[in-house]
Amino acid sequence: MVDWFYLRPTEVDLLITDPTKAKTQLGWECQYDLAALVQDMMESDLHLMKKD
């Protein structure tokens, strides 16, 4: 049985976050800039396409 109240949509219109809390409390620093993130995502997608 699924309680639809607890489900969220898989596609959201806008995702925005502020990593300040992770930086200050955990000492986290991002490892990717936008260009590197897009490159990594594209390489992953191409790898998956080549498997099929």
Side-chain angles (χ1 to χ4, degrees), residues 18-34:
D18 179 5
T20 303
K21 188 174 182 179
K23 289 179 180 181
T24 57
Q25 293 186 4
L26 302 174
W28 175 85
E29 289 293 329
C30 65
Q31 298 176 356
Y32 289 92
D33 60 6
L34 182 59

Side-chain angles (χ1 to χ4, degrees), residues 2 12 22 27 33 45-46 49:
V2 174
V12 293
D33 60 6
D45 284 352
L46 289 172
M49 298 283 286

Side-chain angles (χ1 to χ4, degrees), residues 16 51-52:
I16 297 178
K51 278 185 169 182
D52 294 335

Side-chain angles (χ1 to χ4, degrees), residues 6-25:
Y6 294 105
L7 294 180
R8 68 178 190 178
T10 56
E11 295 294 328
V12 293
D13 293 331
L14 183 62
L15 290 174
I16 297 178
T17 187
D18 179 5
T20 303
K21 188 174 182 179
K23 289 179 180 181
T24 57
Q25 293 186 4

